[in-house]
Structure formats: C-alpha cells, structure tokens
Amino acid sequence: MKAAIEIESLSKIFRGRGSDDIEAVSQLDLTVEPGQVFGFLGSNGAGKTTTIKMACGLVQPTTGTVRLNGYDVRRQRGQAMQQIGAVLEGTRNVYWRMNAWQNLLYFGRIKGVTSGRILKARAEQLLRELDLWERRKDPVGEYSRGMQQKVAIAAALIADPPIVLLDEPTLGLDVQASRTVREWISQLTKERGKTVVLTTHQLDMAENLCDRVAIMSRGRLLAHRPTTELLDLFRREFYQIRLRGSIIPADVEMMPGFSASQENGHTVLAGAVSEELSVFDLVDWARRAGLDLVSVTPAEPNLEEIFIELVERADQAPWQDSGVEQNGSYSRAISEIGG
Amino acid sequence: MLMTRTVLMPGTVLLNECYKRIILLWSYRFNFLTETFMIGFLFIGISFFVSGGSPAPEQMAPALLGYLTWFFAAFAIGDMSQGIREETQTGTLEQMYMSPLPSGLLLAGRSAASLLVSSAMVILVGGILMLVLGIRIPVRIEGAPIFALTISGLYGFAFLLGGATLVFKQVNALSNLLTNMLLFLNGSFLTVERMPVWLETFARSLPTTQGIDVLRRVMLDNLSLASVWQDGSLVWLIGHSVIFLVVGWGVFLWGERVARRRGLLGQY
C-alpha cells in the first residue's frame, strides 16, 4: 500500500547572520501509513512545526523531499496540496470577522471545490458533526476558543483531504473542548479512513490516540515506532526499587535517569536503567550503602516518561560530532527504538 | 473536464475573493462609512485650500479625476501591504498558500476583487462629490484603455509592496508614506508641470502620475487616443505601466520564494 506521507532526507537550515545558522530539521526519514493517527512529539524547538510546514509546502526544505500520497510537495504542488488539510499552531487559521458558514464556503473554494452543492453539503455535515450548526451565522470571533478551533479543523477538512495535519490541536482548550477534538480525531481515522498527523505536548493524548509516534529533539528523530511497541520496549527498562530508610540527595544524583521519593518510611527509586547503570548496579550500590532492599519491580512507563527519558539521553549525548546512532550511552535505546 | 475547470476556476476565485472582501468590509461597516465620508471631505477640504477658498466646478473636474485615481492607489496599496501583513498574523495567508490552485491565480483574483470593491466605492464617493459640487466628468469610451493601463501599473506597484511585505513585514510606515506621497505628487491638485524639474521627474516616475495626465487629456480635453499616442504620452504610459507590472509581479514572486525559504509566510 502506498504511504500517505513519505519524508526522505529532509533538512532545513535557517540561515542566520554570519555563522548563526539554525538546523531546525536534520536528515529526517519518516513514513506515515494511511489511516493512522501519527503523533509527532518533541520539546519546543524540536523541529516538529518546521517539518509540518515543509509537508504543507509553506517552508522550502534545504534538502530532501516530502511526498503526500505519492505526490512530491515541491514538484507536484497542486496535486500534493489536494491531499492535505492543516490546522497550524499559534494562529487563527480562519477569518474571525466571518461566520463559520462563510469561512467554510470561502476555504472550500480556495481549496478547489467548485461545486456549490457539494461544498454546502460538506459544510453542513461538518458543522453539524462539530455541534456548530446552530451558531453557524455568528462571527467566529464571538465563539469560545474551543469552538474557534473546531471551525479551523472544519475548514481544514472542507475539501475532504485524505491527510490531516494538526499542529497542537488542543492547545489552549478547556477539558471539555479538548475531549471533543480528541474524539473527533479518533473518529476521523476509524470511520473515515483519514491519516492524521498531530503534534502535541499532551503526551497522554498521544498515548491514547496515536497508532505510531515519532519523537524529535533538536531537529533529529530519536524514535519512530508504533506506540505500543515503544511502550513495550521501555517496559523492559523501567524499574521501581524500594529501599528501607532514606538516602541523601547526592546519592540520587549518582543515578542518572532515576528519581527518588519517600513513601511510608521507604525510599522509592523510579526510572530507566541504561548500559552505564544496570538494575544489578543499583542493587549492589544499595547493599554497599547499607540500605535494606525491599523490592525491585518492573514499572509500567507511560509515553511521557519515555519521552523525557529519550530527550534527556539525547541531550547528554555528544551527538553533534559522532551522530546519534553511534553514541555509547544512547546506542542501545536508539538501536532498538529508532526508525 | 479539465477545460471546464480551467475556465471556471478563475471566475470562482474572483467571486470567492469578492465574497470575502464584501463580508469583511460589511463587518467593518462603521469604519468603512467613516472612511468614505473622510475621503469625500478631504477632497472638498483640499480643493478649497488649493483654490484659495473659491473652487470652480470646471477647475475641480481634473482634481477629482486625479483624486479618484489616487483612491484606487490607496486601496490597492493598503490591500497588498496591510492586508497581507494582517493575514500573515492570523494564519489565513498560510491557508491560502496551502491551496492546490496556483498562487498567481489567487493573487490575480484577490487584486481583481480589490479593484471591483474599490470601483464601487469610487463610484459612490465620486458620484456624491459630483452631485454636491456640481462637477461634470464626461464618460468617454477612449478613457477605458487609459484607465486600464493606469490601474495595471498601479497594481504592479502594489504587488511590489506586497512582495516586500512578505519578506520585511514592517512596511506599514513606508506604504503610508507612499500613499500620501502619491496624493500630493500625482498631479491631482498641483499639475506636475508647475513643480521644480527634479520633483517633476520624480513625480512622473510614480505609478499614477502619467495615467492621470493622459486620462485628463482624453476625458476632459476630448483628445483622441491617436493624438496622445502621437505626442508620446500614451507610449510613455504603456511603457511605465508594463515596467511596474512586470517588476511588481517579479518582486512579489521573489518575496514568496524568500518567505518560503525563511519560513516567513506565517510569521510576523
């Protein structure tokens, strides 16, 4: 089956003054299969939005290609743009002085829908599904933040594109609105077979929604795996070690990747083991420190813990020169997790 | 099918842009009416000032013709610089650039919509001023190609500013300066022949000056197209407009390329 999105050797260097060039995305290779919810995760400045904008043809890559359903964004722009709808982060995306109905008709025509009958039917369907039909004639500026975001999503879907790119779709939304958007994203893939790519800082949402995730840091891909597989891999690395008594903070600093907490007179160490610090090293250290070992149990990591762990490892690795895959402390995680 | 789409698409784009423009204009109707009143009032004020307090209708006809042409310029410049800047901030420009349609077609549609709306406003303001002040501007078909040439050059100039806005963003002050400069230097109230040579040379290089000059001679002095061709003023106007249009379009395309390279389409 043809990939929905194929990204090959994609790089973006923003030229600064003198030697202040910023490598926002570096040699990214990525494939998104059709019908999936794909999560793009990373800290601020990781390169997610730049990648999304390169996929939308809004930022020109320095090297590499993006193909949407086989169409090259640069060389077959018209066909490629028919494949996507996008809601971009930090902006309104639609006209707030116009009402929801007017926005959908305007953006539908901009996106090449020439039949008025089809356009109106789609606009009505989208507005009804998103509970906006009753207020379709009110200016979007008078809506709540959640409703405004729904209009932006509806505008992205008005031409019925097979791929939907959502950059931080729940940013600034209250719990209720965020839930509606999440449910709708799930519905888009399950009931309509759309491919959804979303960037988010809400890792619980990514864990629940995404079939596959890619984790980026400083423009590089740290991991690219099905969500369940990523959780399984880290399940083998996450441990909870319970010790009787207290340990001093300096001891915790000697255990990178672990955090300590107190619970019923016990010290609970939780974190991921690594090549430098195995579970046996920890047990040995506790014995030598005269601390009674109560229990050692594998912990159930969530995506947030995995994300923090991966990004911290990447930050500690001197990868600028040696390359991510070749770095010692990082190599095991990457060789297992990386694309 | 493809043929039908090719024919239908520009029409759809034009109507779509007009649709948006009218809705947005209506949503700012109080501002719009105030500005329309101000434009009319400004003309009366300047005319009184220039004529020493007793403007004669026959003297005001050339001034009104120039003033209305300037109004087109103000509208086009505002649309291309301020309009693009606002759309960059709101992210609607990025949505426009995600269209499968060529950006040139969308830009042309946008310009045509701007021209239609400004024409409606000019007819309204001009009509009221003519009625109130008793000014008569004869309608002559020969004026149509001159008007089209003037507007083409004017939109070329607006594209130039639009391209600069995509890259530099803060060209608001510059576009205001140019709009005001056009009002006082395009010969609406003070003919360019009465300016010092250096200023006349500069004024004639501006986008609407030559157009207004030829338009007046054809519309008000009843000169034929052949005579303005023979005296070289029409040739100069054609060259002037073509240069502005080609350079302006080129600068806009350059601005688009730079904005895509630097990621500026959604950044202010």
Side-chain angles (χ1 to χ4, degrees):
Chain A
M1 196 193 294
K2 194 161 55 179
I5 304 175
E6 290 169 275
I7 294 176
E8 273 177 33
S9 309
L10 193 70
S11 296
K12 180 65 196 176
I13 299 170
F14 289 109
R15 302 276 172 213
R17 291 178 202 281
S19 58
D20 298 338
D21 290 352
I22 297 165
E23 192 175 27
V25 177
S26 176
Q27 292 299 317
L28 186 67
D29 289 295
L30 205 64
T31 304
V32 181
E33 299 302 328
Q36 284 191 337
V37 181
F38 186 92
F40 232 140
L41 314 178
S43 318
N44 290 334
K48 312 178 299 285
T49 297
T50 305
T51 306
I52 293 270
K53 287 195 175 182
M54 285 194 277
C56 294
L58 298 171
V59 171
Q60 188 185 314
T62 307
T63 62
T65 54
V66 180
R67 276 189 289 275
L68 304 172
N69 281 335
Y71 296 110
D72 189 319
V73 169
R74 213 161 160 183
R75 292 190 177 82
Q76 295 162 292
R77 187 180 170 75
Q79 289 111 316
M81 289 303 107
Q82 281 178 327
Q83 311 304 314
I84 55 161
V87 178
L88 300 169
E89 183 238 328
T91 55
R92 297 176 180 180
N93 291 286
V94 292
Y95 294 97
W96 280 13
R97 306 287 301 198
M98 286 161 63
N99 65 39
W101 179 254
Q102 290 163 341
N103 265 294
L104 293 194
L105 295 192
Y106 174 76
F107 283 109
R109 291 183 202 117
I110 279 273
K111 287 171 184 178
V113 185
T114 45
S115 161
R117 191 179 49 80
I118 293 173
L119 186 56
K120 284 177 184 167
R122 271 191 203 150
E124 182 175 344
Q125 186 194 352
L126 286 165
L127 292 173
R128 284 192 188 281
E129 282 174 8
L130 287 164
D131 291 330
L132 293 168
W133 181 249
E134 298 303 321
R135 292 197 58 191
R136 68 188 182 282
K137 289 183 178 167
D138 294 343
V140 177
E142 292 175 8
Y143 289 1
S144 68
R145 178 77 191 89
M147 289 169 80
Q148 286 166 344
Q149 188 70 339
K150 284 186 198 173
V151 177
I153 295 174
L157 285 162
I158 188 69
D160 201 21
I163 304 167
V164 187
L165 307 177
L166 304 172
D167 195 5
E168 298 285 355
T170 53
L171 188 74
L173 301 191
D174 60 32
V175 177
Q176 186 67 29
S178 174
R179 192 173 169 180
T180 312
V181 170
R182 276 204 310 251
E183 285 168 0
W184 211 53
I185 291 170
S186 179
Q187 200 185 328
L188 280 176
T189 48
K190 289 193 176 82
E191 292 174 19
R192 299 199 201 166
K194 300 220 182 278
T195 307
V196 177
V197 175
L198 67 98
T199 74
T200 181
H201 289 293
Q202 289 177 284
L203 300 183
D204 56 331
M205 174 172 114
E207 189 174 333
N208 292 329
L209 267 181
C210 299
D211 300 298
R212 200 176 175 97
V213 290
I215 299 178
M216 283 186 84
S217 176
R218 297 189 205 168
R220 292 169 194 243
L221 193 64
L222 303 182
H224 173 208
R225 288 261 166 170
T227 315
T228 48
E229 206 173 293
L230 193 66
L231 291 166
D232 280 346
L233 274 170
F234 271 84
R235 203 166 280 134
R236 283 185 259 145
E237 296 198 353
F238 273 71
Y239 285 92
Q240 195 185 69
I241 299 165
R242 194 174 281 267
L243 304 163
R244 206 180 310 279
S246 307
I247 60 169
I248 55 171
D251 284 338
V252 182
E253 282 172 19
M254 288 167 63
M255 292 175 275
F258 272 81
S259 62
S261 61
Q262 294 295 319
E263 208 178 287
N264 303 329
H266 292 162
T267 298
V268 180
L269 297 170
V273 294
S274 62
E275 277 187 351
E276 280 74 27
L277 187 71
S278 71
V279 71
F280 301 108
D281 294 332
L282 283 164
V283 172
D284 188 44
W285 167 84
R287 188 181 54 76
R288 281 191 279 110
L291 296 166
D292 291 337
L293 185 68
V294 178
S295 64
V296 178
T297 49
E300 196 70 28
N302 58 32
L303 196 55
E304 187 172 332
E305 286 165 330
I306 294 171
F307 172 79
I308 291 167
E309 177 64 22
L310 272 174
V311 173
E312 276 180 2
R313 284 184 202 181
D315 286 345
Q316 285 159 13
W319 51 338
Q320 283 89 341
D321 299 319
S322 57
V324 174
E325 284 80 1
Q326 289 153 21
N327 182 267
S329 65
Y330 194 47
S331 61
R332 187 162 55 90
I334 289 302
S335 63
E336 285 189 87
I337 300 158
Chain B
M1 180 71 183
L2 187 70
M3 184 68 182
T4 317
R5 195 179 158 87
T6 313
V7 174
L8 278 179
M9 219 55 239
T12 307
V13 168
L14 171 63
L15 289 176
N16 201 32
E17 288 301 322
C18 288
Y19 170 80
K20 178 187 85 180
R21 185 58 57 96
I22 289 164
I23 292 167
L24 292 177
L25 214 56
W26 183 246
S27 78
Y28 289 104
R29 51 192 171 277
F30 181 72
N31 280 1
F32 167 70
L33 288 172
T34 311
E35 276 174 22
T36 308
F37 174 77
M38 191 201 74
I39 285 161
F41 186 76
L42 191 65
F43 175 77
I44 297 170
I46 295 175
S47 298
F48 269 85
F49 183 74
V50 169
S51 63
S54 52
E58 61 277 12
Q59 288 171 336
M60 286 171 79
L64 182 61
L65 200 60
Y67 186 73
L68 294 179
T69 311
W70 169 79
F71 180 78
F72 279 107
F75 202 86
I77 290 170
D79 187 50
M80 283 295 158
S81 58
Q82 195 184 331
I84 284 179
R85 204 185 73 243
E86 280 171 10
E87 295 218 27
T88 306
Q89 285 172 302
T90 56
T92 45
L93 190 74
E94 285 187 317
Q95 291 294 336
M96 191 192 96
Y97 275 100
M98 273 188 271
S99 166
L101 306 173
S103 61
L105 176 63
L106 295 174
L107 180 67
R110 190 188 171 102
S111 309
S114 147
L115 183 61
L116 280 175
V117 173
S118 53
S119 299
M121 286 173 75
V122 161
I123 289 168
L124 178 73
V125 176
I128 292 171
L129 285 172
M130 285 164 76
L131 266 175
V132 170
L133 301 172
I135 302 167
R136 294 182 66 83
I137 297 176
V139 178
R140 293 190 70 211
I141 195 70
E142 288 89 339
I146 307 298
F147 174 75
L149 280 166
T150 309
I151 292 297
S152 305
L154 175 60
Y155 270 87
F157 185 67
F159 292 153
L160 193 146
L161 281 173
T165 306
L166 284 174
V167 178
F168 303 111
K169 309 298 178 197
Q170 293 183 32
V171 294
N172 203 22
L174 177 68
S175 63
N176 282 341
L177 174 74
L178 289 168
T179 306
N180 291 324
M181 197 186 274
L182 285 181
L183 175 62
F184 294 104
L185 296 179
N186 71 0
S188 299
F189 297 102
L190 180 69
T191 53
V192 287
E193 289 81 7
R194 290 170 62 188
M195 294 175 185
V197 178
W198 65 270
L199 192 58
E200 184 187 344
T201 312
F202 176 70
R204 283 200 183 276
S205 71
L206 292 171
T208 51
T209 315
Q210 186 67 11
I212 289 170
D213 184 36
V214 182
L215 207 53
R216 273 180 187 155
R217 288 199 279 150
V218 171
M219 300 280 284
L220 303 174
D221 301 342
N222 286 325
L223 289 183
S224 66
L225 288 178
S227 56
V228 286
W229 175 266
Q230 274 165 359
D231 69 16
S233 55
L234 181 55
V235 180
W236 174 244
L237 175 62
I238 292 170
H240 203 252
S241 294
V242 167
I243 288 170
F244 264 113
L245 198 58
V246 170
V247 171
W249 191 266
V251 170
F252 196 90
L253 295 180
W254 165 83
E256 269 186 2
R257 269 202 309 278
V258 174
R260 279 207 173 101
R261 202 166 59 233
R262 297 191 198 161
L264 298 173
L265 288 173
Q267 205 181 76
Y268 177 72

